[in-house]
Amino acid sequence: MDPLISIRILRPERVFQPHEMLACEYQLDAVDAAELAAVEASVMWYTVGKGDEDLSVHYFERRTPGDVVDGDLRSLRRFECQLPNSPLSYDGFLVKICWCVRVRMFLKGGRDFAQDVPFRIGDVPRVQFTPPEEAAAE
Amino acid sequence: MARLFRLWEKKRGDRRTGSRLLGGLGEVLFAGSLFLLGVALLTNTIASRVHGEVGYGFGFWVLALVSISLTILGGTGFVLGVLQVGASRERRSALAKRAQKMDLLHEAPRQRDQFPTVPHDASLTNSPGTTLAFRLPTTNYSAVRLAASTIFSLLWNAIAVVLLALAANRWLAGHPDWVLTASALIFVTVGAGAVTYFIRQMLVHTGIGPTHVEISALPLYPGQSYDVFVYQAGRLEVTRLTLALVCEEEATFHQGTDVRTERQPIAEYVIFSRDDFRIEPGAAFEHQCQLQIPESAMHSFQSTHNAVSWKLVVRLDAVSWPPCERSFPVVVHPLASVVPSA
C-alpha cells in the first residue's frame, strides 16, 4: 500500500486574490517514521496545454528527520505564505496556468510520492474560443 | 478524450510513463558512455600521432575534433544529469528562483519579484510620443518575411537556372533529356512564384508608408480606458483601415527533434475602423480614439515555453496593394496588483 499524503487548504472554496495569505496543513500516513528521508512542500504554478510544461515554485520548504524534535515527519504540519501578484490562474485554449500545493515525500529506499491540491488565484474567466476550423464544421 | 489520435501531435495527459529515477540514470549512463568513448578516441588519436603512425593530415584533425566534441558533450551531459537525478523538480525550481534573486545589480529582478511572469514594459516606454505619452514599437514581421523570401527566391532560382542551362545544353546538342527538362520547368515555376511573393513583400515593406501608434499610459490594466493615436503615412487609396486589440496565446513544444511554436489569437476587439478614404503625401491619416481593456482580461504572461500576449494591430487594405498588417505589443498587468514594499 502506498503512503498517504493529506493536504488541506484552510479556505474551503480555494479561491484567492493576488497577495492574499494562503494557509495550508498537511500530514503523512501509512508509512513508518523511520522510512521517511525528507518531505518537501511547495506552493507552485505549472502550465498545461500544447506547449512544454513550465513550472515555478513560489514557496518551498524541505524538512528532514533532523529538523523535527522527535524525528517524525508524519505529524500535522501547517505553513502560510503570501501569494504573488501573478500569474493568475488561467484556462485558455493553448495555455492553462494551474496553481497547487504539492507535498512530496522521499523514502529512504529512493522512492518518492507526491500529492497536489489545486487552488485558484484571481477570477479570470475561462476563455470562450472556437477555433476557425471547428466553427466552420459547425 | 481526443476524437482522433494524431500521430505527430504532442502527447497529452501524464507526461511520464516510466520511472523518473530510471530515466535520469539512463541519461547519465548514456552521457557517461559518450564521455568515455570521446576520451578513448582522443587518446588513441594522440597515441597514433606520437608513435608516428599518422601525420597531421585532414584525418587526424577530423578525429581529434570528433573525439573532443564527444568528450565535451558527454561530460556536460553527465554533470547536468547527476545534478538533476538527486533533486525534485520543485526543489530545482526553488533553487533557480533563489539564484535569480541574487542578481541585485539590475532593476529587472525587482520588477520580476513584484509581477512574476509579466513581461517588462521597459522596451515599450522608452520612446515618447508626439501626441500621447508613448510611441509603441512595432514587431517587424514584414522585415523577417522579406529577408526569408529574398534568401529563398535567390537560392531556389539559382538551382532553377542551373537546371535550365543543363536542359538547354542537352536540347542544343540534339539529345533532349525529358526528365531533366521537366524538373527544370517545375523549378522555374516554383521560382517564379517565389519571386512574385518576394516582390509583394518588398512592396509592402517599402511602398506603404510608416504606421505609428501612440498610447496615453503603460502598462495597461483590465477595465481601464486609454487614449490611442494612429498615424498612417503614404500615398494610398484606402478601402479599409482597422485598429484592433488582439490577445494571443503562444505555445512552444518539442516534436521529435524539432522545436515548434504555435500561436492562436483568442480574442479580438475592434477599436475603430474606417472605409474608403485617401492618404496623400504630406497629409497623413491621423486618428485618436479610446481603448477599453476588458474587465475580465488575462494579464500578459511569459514563461519559458508559454505566453499570453496583447497587441494593437493595424490592418490596412488599399487599392493596388496587398493587405498589410502591423503589430504593436502592449503589456497588461493584473488588476489587483499590490506592489510589495522594496
Side-chain angles (χ1 to χ4, degrees):
Chain A
M1 182 180 162
D2 285 347
L4 296 173
I5 302 172
S6 310
I7 306 169
R8 189 163 75 95
I9 293 174
L10 303 180
R11 182 181 289 190
E13 67 274 20
R14 289 189 280 178
V15 178
F16 296 83
Q17 292 305 314
H19 225 59
E20 281 191 330
M21 290 297 289
L22 175 141
C24 182
E25 291 175 347
Y26 65 89
Q27 190 170 5
L28 312 178
D29 288 302
V31 61
D32 279 344
E35 269 191 77
L36 282 169
V39 181
E40 292 175 359
S42 318
V43 176
M44 55 181 281
W45 62 264
Y46 59 92
T47 60
V48 178
K50 189 142 194 177
D52 288 349
E53 185 186 53
D54 294 320
L55 73 80
S56 179
V57 172
H58 173 65
Y59 171 87
F60 180 80
E61 68 169 29
R62 179 182 168 89
R63 296 189 305 141
T64 55
D67 298 329
V68 285
V69 178
D70 56 357
D72 189 354
L73 292 170
R74 297 174 303 175
S75 51
L76 187 74
R77 166 78 177 170
R78 180 190 163 120
F79 67 86
E80 287 185 351
C81 73
Q82 190 165 41
L83 295 171
N85 285 320
S86 59
L88 303 183
S89 300
Y90 178 66
D91 193 357
F93 181 67
L94 294 179
V95 183
K96 294 173 181 24
I97 302 168
C98 308
W99 277 93
C100 72
V101 174
R102 177 175 292 173
V103 174
R104 187 184 292 277
M105 72 163 86
F106 296 86
L107 302 185
K108 285 187 176 152
R111 289 199 302 164
D112 66 274
F113 299 89
Q115 180 79 38
D116 291 0
V117 171
F119 66 91
R120 287 186 65 84
I121 301 183
D123 45 15
V124 176
R126 188 167 191 261
V127 169
Q128 300 293 322
F129 172 73
T130 310
E133 61 265 28
E134 285 185 19
E138 285 168 8
Chain B
M1 187 179 171
R3 279 175 294 179
L4 291 171
F5 289 101
R6 285 182 276 189
L7 277 178
W8 309 117
E9 192 80 4
K10 180 179 177 296
K11 187 166 81 73
R12 291 173 188 275
D14 290 338
R15 286 161 192 277
R16 186 174 286 275
T17 49
S19 158
R20 187 184 297 275
L21 187 66
L22 281 179
L25 281 176
E27 276 181 40
V28 167
L29 285 177
F30 176 75
S33 309
L34 218 58
F35 176 75
L36 291 178
L37 181 68
V39 170
L41 198 61
L42 189 63
T43 309
N44 187 45
T45 309
I46 292 171
S48 301
R49 174 68 197 96
V50 169
H51 295 137
E53 293 167 17
V54 293
Y56 282 121
F58 180 70
F60 170 79
W61 290 112
V62 168
L63 272 177
L65 197 66
V66 167
S67 53
I68 289 170
S69 303
L70 285 176
T71 308
I72 292 172
L73 282 175
T76 312
F78 187 80
V79 171
L80 288 177
V82 167
L83 286 176
Q84 292 186 358
V85 159
S88 65
R89 290 186 72 195
E90 298 87 72
R91 193 177 179 192
R92 288 204 301 273
S93 176
L95 289 172
K97 201 166 180 178
R98 197 180 304 164
Q100 280 178 358
K101 284 183 180 171
M102 288 176 188
D103 189 1
L104 300 173
L105 296 175
H106 300 95
E107 183 65 13
R110 205 169 69 82
Q111 287 183 12
R112 196 163 45 215
D113 280 349
Q114 292 169 0
F115 304 105
T117 70
V118 177
H120 307 306
D121 57 7
S123 61
L124 307 182
T125 54
N126 57 7
S127 177
T130 53
T131 307
L132 298 174
F134 304 111
R135 175 176 291 183
L136 296 172
T138 178
T139 47
N140 212 348
Y141 290 130
S142 66
V144 174
R145 274 199 293 265
L146 178 65
S149 64
T150 306
I151 293 167
F152 178 79
S153 56
L154 267 178
L155 292 177
W156 189 273
N157 282 298
I159 298 168
V161 165
V162 170
L163 286 178
L164 204 61
L166 289 174
N169 269 341
R170 300 296 293 265
W171 276 85
L172 290 173
H175 305 290
D177 186 332
W178 292 103
V179 175
L180 183 62
T181 307
S183 306
L185 286 176
I186 291 169
F187 265 76
V188 167
T189 311
V190 175
V195 169
T196 310
Y197 182 76
F198 161 70
I199 291 171
R200 283 166 65 95
Q201 291 303 318
M202 199 169 67
L203 286 175
V204 168
H205 190 69
T206 59
I208 296 178
T211 309
H212 298 314
V213 174
E214 295 179 7
I215 196 157
S216 57
L218 278 173
L220 311 178
Y221 291 90
Q224 304 293 309
S225 288
Y226 302 89
D227 290 328
V228 181
F229 174 74
V230 183
Y231 169 98
Q232 176 63 56
R235 182 196 292 273
L236 300 164
E237 194 173 329
V238 179
T239 52
R240 171 163 290 186
L241 188 143
T242 308
L243 174 67
L245 176 68
V246 175
C247 180
E248 191 175 75
E249 291 181 4
E250 184 180 305
T252 303
F253 54 97
H254 286 81
Q255 197 170 54
T257 54
D258 291 344
V259 177
R260 293 176 180 272
T261 298
E262 190 169 318
R263 291 186 183 86
Q264 180 69 60
I266 50 151
E268 178 165 330
Y269 307 92
V270 175
I271 302 165
F272 96 95
S273 180
R274 182 170 294 181
D275 295 347
D276 301 323
F277 63 97
R278 292 183 69 85
I279 301 175
E280 300 289 352
F285 171 78
E286 295 180 350
H287 183 78
Q288 188 165 330
C289 54
Q290 284 267 310
L291 162 68
Q292 172 82 32
I293 306 297
E295 194 88 44
S296 59
M298 174 60 180
H299 62 79
S300 302
F301 167 79
Q302 176 76 61
S303 61
T304 311
H305 301 104
N306 299 277
V308 177
S309 54
W310 289 87
K311 58 186 179 182
L312 289 165
V313 177
V314 176
R315 293 196 186 94
L316 182 73
D317 291 314
V319 174
S320 309
W321 292 95
C324 170
E325 182 177 301
R326 285 168 179 167
S327 300
F328 302 84
V330 289
V331 173
V332 176
H333 271 215
L335 181 63
S337 296
V338 179
V339 180
S341 54

